[in-house]
Amino acid sequence: MHKRLRFHSGIVYIDEGAVTNKNKEKRLQVSDSVQSIMRRYDFPTHIATLEQVFDLERSSVDENPTTDVGDRVAMAMPSLSADMGDLTLDSVQTKRLKYMLANTKSVTAKEDLVQILRHRLLMDIARRYGYDKIMLGDCSTKLSISILADLAKGRGASIPLDTNFADRRYGDVFFLRPMREFTSKEIGIYNHFHNIDSVVIASLTTKCPVNASINRLTETFVTGLQVDFPSTVNTVFRTGEKLCVTDSSDNSPVQYCILCRDTDNLPGFIIEEARRRIRRSQMKKEFEGFLLEED
Amino acid sequence: MAASSQTGMSITLEFSGGAELLFGKVKKHHISLDESTTAWTIKKLLIWVKDNLLKERPELFLQGETVRPGILVLVNDADWELLGELEYEIKENDNIVFISTLHGG
C-alpha cells in the first residue's frame, strides 16, 4: 500500500473519550476496533489519550530542541505499540481534562481546545520518537470550513498557517496537510470503493443541532452552498491560499501564544484596528447603563 | 415495468461515515419495499426510510425532502447525481449507500 512513500511513517491514534464523557469500557472498546484496523497496515503505531497532554514537560512542546532533527530521524524506528490497557483512563489527568472542558463555556471553545491539545500531544509524540513531520488528514472541504470559521472567531491572522500545506511554527517539526487538495466527497468515495474500514467515534457535536458551534454552523453553510454551487469549496480554499501575513516593521523575533500558536506579529494597522474595536465595544458597554436610565 | 408488478422489491441500504448512528448503529439494512402503483423513486424511499428505519434526529439525515448536504448517495456504486438524484427509479436488488462526510457523523 505504501510502497511509494520514501520516508518512514507511523500512525498515531489519540483517544478523546474523556471529552465526550465515555466510560473506561467504552473507550477500550473503541480503541480496540481502531487498533485492529491500524494493525492491517505495516506502519508502527502509537496510542495516546488526550489527557496525557498534562503529563508533558512544558519544554517538550514549547521550545525548539537544539538537537539536530536529522540525527534523531536516523535512529532506528522503534516498533511502538502501546496498549490502551496500559494507559490510565480514570486518572487525575482525566479529571483535570474534564474539569478544564467543564470550565470552557462555549462548545466552539471546547472544540478548539481539544484540537489545540491534540496538536500539542502530536508534537510531543513526534519529538519523542524522532519524527520530523506530522501529517494531518485535513481535506479541502474541512480547510475551507476552517478558513471561514477562523475568520468568524477573530483568528484571521492564523489562517495561512492553519490551512496551508506546511506549518513551520514549531521550528523543528512541521505540520503537513497532504490531503488538502482532495474534497471530502472524493475521499468518501475512494474509501467506499477501496473498502477502507472505519470506526465512527462520536465527537463533541455528534447528534447536536447544526448550530451547536461556530465550526458546525460553518460546516452546514459550506456544505449547503456546495450542493447548488459545486465550486464553493474550491473558491474559498483558493482564496484562503492567497492570504499571507506580512512581517511587522520591526525585526523582533516572532512570538507565538504558547497555547493556541496565535501571534501578534501583525502589521501595525491591524493591531490598531483591533484596539479600536475593543475600545468601541467597551464604550458601548459603558453607554448601555446610561442609555437605559434615559429611557 | 416488470418490477412494479411483483409483490415487494428487495433492496439493500448501507449507512456509513457516521450516518449509521442515526439508524441504531446498524450499517447494512436489507429491506423489502411494498408493491406500489407508482414507481419507487429515491424521493419516495427517503420518506419510507424516515418512517421505518430512522431512529432519531431526522433533521440530521434529511433536509426538506432530500438528504442533508454533506451526505453522499451512491446507487450501485454510482453517484446519484448522475442518475437523476431524487427522481431515480429504484430497481430490484439495488444497493444504495449513504456516506456522511460531516464532522462527527
Side-chain angles (χ1 to χ4, degrees):
Chain A
M1 284 294 278
H2 55 283
K3 57 181 182 289
R4 284 166 66 198
L5 296 183
R6 298 253 180 114
F7 40 85
H8 300 284
S9 32
I11 316 178
V12 181
Y13 167 63
I14 298 179
D15 168 87
E16 289 174 9
V19 176
T20 42
N21 265 320
K22 294 278 178 296
N23 61 25
K24 194 173 175 175
E25 288 69 39
K26 179 73 192 161
R27 290 176 73 178
L28 286 172
Q29 186 196 331
V30 169
S31 135
D32 278 346
S33 37
V34 171
Q35 285 187 72
S36 74
I37 292 177
M38 282 163 84
R39 274 191 222 104
R40 287 180 214 159
Y41 306 93
D42 286 338
F43 295 110
T45 57
H46 309 268
I47 312 280
T49 62
L50 194 61
E51 49 261 51
Q52 283 178 307
V53 79
F54 292 111
D55 293 328
L56 305 184
E57 298 272 328
R58 234 192 85 172
S59 59
S60 80
V61 176
D62 299 324
E63 284 163 27
N64 302 334
T66 42
T67 40
D68 186 23
V69 179
D71 289 347
R72 288 191 285 142
V73 174
M75 291 190 312
M77 206 57 81
S79 83
L80 301 143
S81 167
D83 206 12
M84 269 291 272
D86 304 342
L87 304 171
T88 44
L89 296 171
D90 294 309
S91 62
V92 186
Q93 311 298 38
T94 312
K95 288 196 186 77
R96 276 180 78 180
L97 179 62
K98 285 183 179 172
Y99 181 75
M100 193 176 182
L101 283 161
N103 284 287
T104 309
K105 280 182 194 152
S106 68
V107 181
T108 308
K110 280 186 221 264
E111 283 185 323
D112 290 353
L113 180 61
V114 170
Q115 160 127 333
I116 287 165
L117 297 179
R118 269 181 79 91
H119 283 190
R120 286 175 76 89
L121 199 51
L122 281 172
M123 184 54 69
D124 175 72
I125 294 168
R127 286 195 175 136
R128 227 174 332 145
Y129 298 118
Y131 293 101
D132 61 348
K133 290 178 185 65
I134 299 168
M135 296 197 270
L136 303 170
D138 301 334
C139 62
S140 65
T141 313
K142 173 141 189 254
L143 290 174
S144 50
I145 292 164
S146 10
I147 288 170
L148 294 178
D150 274 0
L151 268 178
K153 287 182 272 191
R155 282 183 60 92
S158 308
I159 289 177
L161 290 165
D162 285 342
T163 58
N164 271 3
F165 179 70
D167 177 356
R168 298 184 166 85
R169 265 176 291 185
Y170 287 83
D172 59 330
V173 180
F174 298 170
F175 277 105
L176 301 180
R177 299 186 180 81
M179 304 295 284
R180 67 194 287 278
E181 298 286 336
F182 304 104
T183 63
S184 57
K185 180 171 180 175
E186 287 169 325
I187 297 170
I189 289 179
Y190 179 94
N191 287 350
H192 174 74
F193 284 141
H194 289 80
N195 291 319
I196 293 179
D197 238 342
S198 65
V199 181
V200 176
I201 302 167
S203 72
L204 269 170
T205 53
T206 295
K207 292 189 190 173
C208 284
V210 290
N211 58 358
S213 71
I214 293 178
N215 301 324
R216 176 105 174 185
L217 190 61
T218 315
E219 180 186 53
T220 309
F221 173 67
V222 172
T223 48
L225 270 180
Q226 182 74 9
V227 174
D228 292 320
F229 306 98
S231 60
T232 303
V233 164
N234 204 40
T235 309
V236 175
F237 180 62
R238 295 292 168 218
T239 310
E241 220 167 32
K242 288 178 189 145
L243 297 171
C244 62
V245 180
T246 49
D247 289 333
S248 61
S249 44
D250 61 275
N251 287 323
S252 57
V254 184
Q255 293 283 318
Y256 291 113
C257 164
I258 285 176
L259 186 65
C260 70
R261 314 305 289 181
D262 212 344
T263 175
D264 63 354
N265 187 49
L266 300 167
F269 68 92
I270 292 180
I271 294 172
E272 191 43 53
E273 176 65 18
R275 286 205 188 107
R276 201 179 66 81
R277 288 186 185 206
I278 292 168
R279 270 202 309 275
R280 259 181 77 96
S281 71
Q282 278 169 348
M283 276 166 75
K284 253 187 182 167
K285 242 185 204 161
E286 282 163 22
F287 272 129
E288 236 166 40
F290 180 69
L291 288 173
L292 279 173
E293 272 168 39
E294 274 224 322
D295 280 350
Chain B
M1 288 287 284
S4 57
S5 62
Q6 289 170 11
T7 51
M9 174 166 56
S10 56
I11 60 167
T12 313
L13 300 182
E14 279 179 61
F15 301 93
S16 66
E20 68 270 31
L21 296 176
L22 305 172
F23 295 86
K25 294 187 182 169
V26 181
K27 283 194 169 187
K28 215 166 188 163
H29 299 254
H30 298 281
I31 58 162
S32 174
L33 299 172
D34 291 338
E35 197 181 338
S36 155
T37 45
T38 55
W40 275 97
T41 56
I42 296 200
K43 191 171 171 178
K44 205 168 149 189
L45 173 75
L46 290 176
I47 298 167
W48 187 92
V49 165
K50 187 185 172 192
D51 295 340
N52 296 282
L53 281 183
L54 200 54
K55 296 270 190 290
E56 54 185 316
R57 297 194 168 275
E59 75 279 9
L60 295 183
F61 184 68
L62 298 167
Q63 182 172 305
E65 59 183 14
T66 186
V67 290
R68 198 173 147 215
I71 296 178
L72 310 176
V73 185
L74 300 178
V75 180
N76 302 326
D77 284 346
D79 190 344
W80 77 326
E81 287 178 30
L82 304 170
L83 304 168
E85 302 194 10
L86 292 172
E87 304 308 322
Y88 172 76
E89 281 186 29
I90 299 167
K91 294 173 196 65
E92 178 84 18
N93 295 327
D94 270 356
N95 181 42
I96 305 178
V97 187
F98 298 88
I99 307 168
S100 172
T101 62
L102 298 162
H103 182 80

